[in-house]
Amino acid sequence: MEKRMEPADNEGVPDNSVIDVYQRHGATWATLRGERLAEGPWLARFCALLPAGASVLDIGCGSGVPMARELIRRGFAVTGIDAAPTMLKLFKCNLSGTPVYLGDMRELALGRRFAGLLAWDSFFHLSPLDQRPMFARFQAHAAPGAPLMFTSGDVEGSAMGTLEGDALYHGSLGSDEYRELLDATGFDVVEHVLQDPSCGHRTIWLARQRG
């Protein structure tokens, strides 16, 4: 889906509209997403920072394909969380027996820490206002040394994509603010690439909780 970041004039714009879109069109999204692992090299970087058999929290896990499925194939213990029941149903069908929770990431509070945190193509659906407090939630769920990988926009602002004709919100902070928030919550940036052409022009952050 094509989108361009624009300056944010109302940081609190998205409510539950993103969740509603995925609830209505989750099956279509999963078909469009497909099984191709274009993220493979980035997922390999993430996995290289994990001990064997480590626990990974997939935040905004969607259908579980292909990211969570690949993590499980590599021997990691995945836990998923997503706010759309449609996506949870797909996740359970694709990855039977893998724990998954229904919940809004903005209220993430599982009461345990994980060896790795992933918020791939999910975190960027939050408004800038909602993204800022997420870093404290990441920290509360990260074990010492845990990698955190997420996708964002390339500048602060918002953008609208579409899914089956419905508007789909994306938000972002600026790179400097992401670095400040990561540092303030104990994460060191390991790698950061703006609009990586080898990964669908995603802007990607890989950080690690200080041990």
Side-chain angles (χ1 to χ4, degrees), residues 14-184:
D15 41 29
N16 290 326
S17 60
V18 169
I19 299 169
D20 293 340
V21 171
Y22 280 108
Q23 176 62 14
R24 288 194 299 274
H25 306 304
T28 299
W29 174 88
T31 299
L32 293 170
R33 176 67 175 85
E35 299 189 8
R36 179 173 172 267
L37 192 65
E39 303 87 344
W42 278 99
L43 197 60
R45 295 180 183 108
F46 175 80
C47 292
L49 300 176
L50 294 169
S55 61
V56 176
L57 178 61
D58 188 352
I59 304 165
C61 59
S63 69
V65 176
M67 298 288 274
R69 184 176 67 182
E70 176 62 15
L71 286 167
I72 292 168
R73 189 191 71 79
R74 290 171 177 252
F76 299 108
V78 173
T79 296
I81 182 167
D82 201 284
T86 294
M87 304 313 292
L88 257 69
K89 184 177 179 180
L90 291 169
F91 186 99
K92 289 176 180 178
C93 180
N94 290 328
L95 303 172
S96 177
T98 301
V100 63
Y101 296 92
L102 178 67
D104 189 323
M105 72 173 73
R106 292 170 293 186
E107 300 170 358
L108 185 64
L110 297 181
R112 58 169 290 201
R113 296 181 184 271
F114 294 81
L117 305 174
L118 187 65
W120 189 269
D121 288 357
S122 57
F123 175 69
F124 66 9
H125 284 309
L126 300 184
S127 70
L129 188 66
D130 285 331
Q131 287 189 22
R132 293 184 180 103
M134 278 301 303
F135 288 88
R137 294 190 182 275
F138 291 149
Q139 183 183 39
H141 291 79
L148 162 67
M149 189 164 70
F150 64 93
T151 47
S152 73
D154 53 327
V155 295
E156 181 171 354
S158 61
M160 299 302 293
T162 59
L163 180 59
E164 289 291 276
D166 285 344
L168 189 59
Y169 176 90
H170 301 75
S172 185
L173 303 173
S175 294
D176 288 345
E177 186 170 5
Y178 280 128
R179 288 183 183 277
E180 290 169 5
L181 287 165
L182 286 164
D183 180 61

